[in-house]
C-alpha cells in the first residue's frame, strides 16, 4: 500500500447543510469526545518522528547543533509534562487546595522558563538566495504566510519558511505558533478545537492577515498551515469570514500539511436551487457541479496516513464525521508516516530538484491517485438528507425516487416536492473527473514549484530539472 495516494474530492455542500461540530454540540461533551479520539490515536505517536533519516540540512532531525538543542529541549518538556499530568489528579486529591494551586503555578512557571530558549519574535521572514530573490521580485503583489505546528521553536519556524521560499520561489512570512512542549501543545489544540478559543497565536494570525487581505495592491494571499497551524488558520478564517467582503477573501488560497484542524469553513457564493413554477408539484433541482462556487477558490490538504496528528485532525474530520464542514480536497499518502514539515512533508511531496534525474521518477506528484468516490458521495448525500423535510421525494436523475423523513419546506408545504440531483456536464458525479489522474494534474500548489505560477499559460506536467526549471 505504501506509495499509493488517496484523493478525497472537495466537499461541494450545495445546500450548505454541513456545519462545524462546535456549532452542533455542547462544548464540554465535544471536549470529552475529542479527548477520547486523541487517546485512540496515541499509539501512532512514534510515527510523528519516523522515518528518522534526514535527507538534507533543512530536515528537523539533521544532527546540527541548533537541531540538537531543540530536540533535547522538547524531550525535557515532554518528560516533565508527562510526569506532571500523571501526578496531577493524585495531587489534587491528596494535597490541600491552596498547596495544589501553588504547585500547579510553580509547575507552569518552570515549563514556561524551560520553553523560553525556543521562542523568538512572533513574525519571521524567509532568507533567500539571489536566485530565489529574483523569482520573488516577479510576484511582489503576492503574500505568502506560514503558521507552524506543534513542538516547533522559532529556529524550526525559520527553517520551515526558508524551505517554502526555496521550493516555490517566493518571499515567505512566518507566524510563530509558540510551543511549550508536545503535551501542552496538544492540550491547547483541544481547547482551540472544542471551545473555538482564539489563543494568542490565532489572534496574531488574524491581526496580520486581515490588513493584507484588505490591501488593494495585494492580488493573492497564499496561507500555509502545518499541524496545529491548521487549527490556527481555520479559526482565523472563521473570524475573517464574518468581517471581510468577498472581494478580499477571494484572493486567498489555503494549503495545509498534517492538519490538526477539526473543520474548515468556506461559504458558498450561492445555493444552486432552482424551482419550476409551471410544475404542479414543487420541483427543486440541485446542481452537483464539480466546479466549486465557494468564497475561497482554492483549499488543499496534504496528509500522511500513519501520522498521528492528521489521524486526529483532517482524516478523522473528513472520513469519520460526514456531516462535518471541511472544505478542500485531500491528498493522503497511504502507508506513510512522519509529521515533521520539512523532513516528512516537503521532502516527500515537494522535493527540491536534484542532479539525479532518476530520483524524481514516480515521485508523489507523478503517482496516479486512488479516488475515494464512496466517501465523496457520502459526505454530500448525508448533509443533503439532513436538510430535507418530511414527505419529500428525491429523484436522482435516472427516474428512481426515494422518500425521506425530512426536507426543504415551501410556501404550501413540502408534500409531493421533488428534488433532482443534476449530473455534471461530463455525465459523471462527484470527483469522477479525478479518476486516472496524477497528483500533479489535480494539485494546484505544485504549480508554484520552482517559481512558477498556476496562471502561466502553458505549465508542463513534468518533473523539475536539477536547475529548478521545468521540462517542455
Amino acid at each position: 500500500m505504501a506509495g499509493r495516494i488517496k484523493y478525497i474530492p472537495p466537499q461541494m455542500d450545495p445546500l450548505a447543510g454541513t456545519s462545524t461540530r462546535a456549532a452542533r454540540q455542547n462544548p464540554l461533551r465535544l471536549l470529552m469526545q475529542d479527548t477520547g479520539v486523541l487517546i485512540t490515536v496515541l499509539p501512532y505517536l512514534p510515527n510523528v518522528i519516523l522515518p528518522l533519516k534526514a535527507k538534507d540540512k533543512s530536515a528537523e532531525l539533521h544532527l546540527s547543533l541548533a537541531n540538537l538543542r531543540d530536540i533535547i529541549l522538547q524531550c525535557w518538556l515532554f518528560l516533565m509534562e508527562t510526569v506532571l499530568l500523571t501526578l496531577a489528579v493524585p495531587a489534587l486529591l491528596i494535597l490541600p487546595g491552596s498547596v495544589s494551586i501553588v504547585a500547579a503555578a510553580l509547575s507552569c512557571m518552570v515549563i514556561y522558563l524551560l520553553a523560553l530558549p525556543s521562542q523568538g519574535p512572533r513574525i519571521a521572514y524567509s532568507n533567500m538566495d539571489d536566485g530565489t530573490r529574483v523569482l520573488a521580485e516577479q510576484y511582489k503583489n503576492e503574500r505568502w504566510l506560514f503558521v507552524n505546528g506543534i513542538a516547533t521553536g522559532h529556529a524550526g519556524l525559520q527553517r520551515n519558511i526558508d524551505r517554502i521560499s526555496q521550493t516555490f520561489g517566493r518571499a515567505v512570512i512566518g507566524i510563530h505558533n509558540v510551543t511549550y512542549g508536545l503535551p501542552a501543545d496538544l492540550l491547547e489544540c483541544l481547547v482551540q478545537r472544542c471551545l473555538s478559543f482564539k489563543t494568542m497565536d490565532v489572534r496574531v494570525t488574524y491581526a496580520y492577515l486581515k490588513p493584507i487581505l484588505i490591501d488593494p495592491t495585494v492580488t493573492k494571499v497564499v496561507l500555509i498551515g502545518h499541524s496545529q497551524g491548521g487549527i490556527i488558520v481555520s479559526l482565523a478564517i472563521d473570524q475573517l469570514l464574518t468581517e471581510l467582503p468577498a472581494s478580499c477573501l477571494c484572493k486567498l488560497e489555503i494549503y495545509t500539511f498534517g492538519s490538526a484542524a477539526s473543520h474548515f469553513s468556506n461559504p458558498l457564493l450561492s445555493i444552486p436551487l432552482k424551482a419550476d413554477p409551471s410544475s404542479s408539484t414543487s420541483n427543486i433541482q440541485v446542481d452537483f457541479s464539480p466546479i466549486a462556487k465557494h468564497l475561497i477558490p482554492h483549499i488543499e490538504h496534504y496528509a500522511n496516513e500513519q501520522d498521528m496528528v492528521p489521524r486526529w485532525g483532517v482524516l478523522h474530520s473528513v472520513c469519520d464525521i460526514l456531516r462535518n464542514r471541511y472544505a478542500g480536497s485531500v491528498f493522503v499518502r497511504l502507508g506513510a508516516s512522519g509529521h515533521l514539515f520539512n523532513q516528512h512533508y516537503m521532502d516527500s511531496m515537494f522535493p527540491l530538484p536534484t542532479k539525479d534525474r532518476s530520483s524524481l521518477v514516480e515521485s508523489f506528484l507523478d503517482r496516479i491517485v486512488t479516488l475515494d468516490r464512496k466517501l465523496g458521495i457520502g459526505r454530500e448525500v448525508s448533509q443533503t438528507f439532513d436538510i430535507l423535510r418530511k414527505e419529500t421525494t428525491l429523484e436522482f436523475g435516472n427516474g428512481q425516487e426515494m422518500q425521506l423523513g425530512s426536507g426543504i419546506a415551501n410556501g404550501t408545504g413540502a408534500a409531493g416536492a421533488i428534488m433532482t440531483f443534476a449530473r455534471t456536464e461530463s455525465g459523471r458525479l462527484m470527483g469522477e473527473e479525478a479518476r486516472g489522474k496524477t497528483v500533479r494534474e489535480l494539485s494546484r500548489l505544485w504549480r508554484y514549484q520552482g517559481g512558477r505560477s498556476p496562471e502561466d499559460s502553458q505549465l508542463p506536467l513534468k518533473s523539475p530539472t536539477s536547475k529548478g526549471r521545468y521540462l517542455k
Side-chain angles (χ1 to χ4, degrees):
M1 182 177 290
R4 292 175 55 201
I5 310 299
K6 180 167 74 172
Y7 175 72
I8 304 172
Q11 189 178 51
M12 291 178 286
D13 191 16
L15 300 184
T18 61
S19 59
T20 66
R21 290 187 299 159
R24 300 191 307 266
Q25 295 182 246
N26 179 288
L28 294 180
R29 182 178 178 183
L30 180 57
L31 183 62
M32 294 175 61
Q33 291 177 350
D34 220 18
T35 303
V37 176
L38 176 59
I39 292 172
T40 63
V41 299
L42 283 179
Y44 293 91
L45 181 60
N47 291 349
V48 167
I49 60 171
L50 298 176
L52 296 174
K53 184 179 180 180
K55 295 181 179 180
D56 55 57
K57 294 181 179 180
S58 70
E60 286 83 353
L61 298 182
H62 176 73
L63 296 181
S64 65
L65 290 177
N67 283 352
L68 285 173
R69 184 199 66 179
D70 286 349
I71 292 169
I72 293 171
L73 178 59
Q74 288 298 325
C75 288
W76 269 111
L77 288 170
F78 179 83
L79 291 173
M80 281 194 62
E81 291 169 6
T82 301
V83 171
L84 289 172
L85 288 173
T86 303
L87 297 177
V89 174
L92 287 172
L93 295 175
I94 297 172
L95 298 176
S98 58
V99 176
S100 299
I101 293 174
V102 172
L106 289 175
S107 300
C108 292
M109 180 60 69
V110 170
I111 291 171
Y112 173 78
L113 293 175
L114 276 176
L116 275 180
S118 69
Q119 299 180 17
R122 283 282 182 171
I123 305 299
Y125 302 91
S126 60
N127 299 311
M128 296 183 288
D129 57 27
D130 292 339
T132 304
R133 190 172 289 107
V134 170
L135 290 171
E137 278 293 316
Q138 303 175 24
Y139 304 102
K140 292 187 293 185
N141 294 333
E142 295 182 6
R143 296 293 182 273
W144 284 57
L145 281 73
F146 173 78
V147 185
N148 65 275
I150 57 175
T152 303
H154 194 271
L157 169 66
Q158 188 66 56
R159 287 192 295 270
N160 292 161
I161 59 177
D162 289 349
R163 176 56 188 272
I164 296 171
S165 181
Q166 189 178 5
T167 301
F168 300 111
R170 267 54 169 200
V172 182
I173 301 164
I175 299 176
H176 190 206
N177 166 32
V178 176
T179 179
Y180 292 101
L182 180 60
D185 290 350
L186 290 176
L187 288 175
E188 185 181 38
C189 287
L190 280 169
V191 173
Q192 291 171 329
R193 283 164 55 114
C194 302
L195 306 181
S196 298
F197 185 74
K198 295 177 177 61
T199 58
M200 176 63 75
D201 309 302
V202 179
R203 298 196 296 272
V204 170
T205 302
Y206 158 79
Y208 200 90
L209 187 57
K210 185 175 181 178
I212 293 177
L213 289 170
I214 293 174
D215 188 347
T217 65
V218 176
T219 58
K220 181 185 295 185
V221 179
V222 176
L223 183 57
I224 302 174
H226 170 235
S227 183
Q228 187 184 9
I231 303 177
I232 294 168
V233 168
S234 174
L235 293 176
I237 293 302
D238 285 349
Q239 184 64 34
L240 291 168
L241 288 172
T242 68
E243 300 174 359
L244 296 184
S247 59
C248 294
L249 291 165
C250 68
K251 305 176 185 179
L252 194 57
E253 298 181 13
I254 299 174
Y255 304 96
T256 73
F257 293 84
S259 173
S262 60
H263 76 277
F264 256 92
S265 298
N266 191 12
L268 291 161
L269 292 175
S270 62
I271 296 180
L273 291 177
K274 296 179 181 180
D276 184 2
S278 63
S279 175
S280 58
T281 61
S282 298
N283 188 358
I284 303 173
Q285 293 184 338
V286 183
D287 182 13
F288 273 113
S289 172
I291 303 174
K293 303 295 183 182
H294 291 86
L295 191 56
I296 301 172
H298 304 288
I299 301 179
E300 293 175 356
H301 309 282
Y302 298 85
N304 290 328
E305 184 191 28
Q306 300 300 315
D307 179 0
M308 184 196 80
V309 177
R311 290 187 75 90
W312 181 44
V314 56
L315 298 181
H316 170 66
S317 301
V318 169
C319 301
D320 299 334
I321 312 174
L322 299 183
R323 290 180 58 198
N324 189 45
R325 174 168 294 173
Y326 215 104
S329 53
V330 185
F331 298 88
V332 186
R333 291 177 65 222
L334 297 178
S337 65
H339 184 65
L340 304 178
F341 181 74
N342 285 3
Q343 185 166 330
H344 298 138
Y345 280 104
M346 295 301 288
D347 279 349
S348 299
M349 297 182 176
F350 300 95
L352 294 172
T354 62
K355 293 181 180 180
D356 181 10
R357 293 274 300 278
S358 63
S359 66
L360 295 172
V361 176
E362 283 299 304
S363 68
F364 166 77
L365 293 172
D366 297 319
R367 294 193 180 112
I368 296 175
V369 302
T370 300
L371 175 64
D372 198 333
R373 183 176 180 270
K374 182 178 179 181
L375 177 59
I377 292 177
R379 296 177 74 200
E380 303 300 338
V381 172
S382 63
Q383 53 83 17
T384 301
F385 283 5
D386 288 337
I387 211 73
L388 301 173
R389 286 190 186 167
K390 58 185 176 182
E391 302 291 336
T392 297
T393 303
L394 288 184
E395 181 182 332
F396 287 94
N398 57 2
Q400 182 180 1
E401 296 182 351
M402 184 176 187
Q403 294 287 341
L404 297 176
S406 59
I408 295 178
N410 52 48
T412 59
I418 296 177
M419 181 170 286
T420 302
F421 289 80
R423 293 179 178 271
T424 65
E425 292 181 2
S426 62
R428 291 185 285 181
L429 291 172
M430 283 174 285
E432 280 293 312
E433 70 281 357
R435 191 177 298 278
K437 291 187 176 181
T438 64
V439 176
R440 196 182 297 275
E441 292 174 284
L442 297 170
S443 167
R444 179 177 174 87
L445 181 57
W446 89 268
R447 297 171 185 271
Y448 292 102
Q449 197 169 6
R452 302 296 293 266
S453 172
E455 285 74 30
D456 290 347
S457 57
Q458 292 183 345
L459 193 64
L461 300 179
K462 299 290 183 181
S463 298
T465 68
S466 60
K467 293 184 180 180
R469 304 298 180 189
Y470 284 81
L471 300 175
K472 296 183 178 180

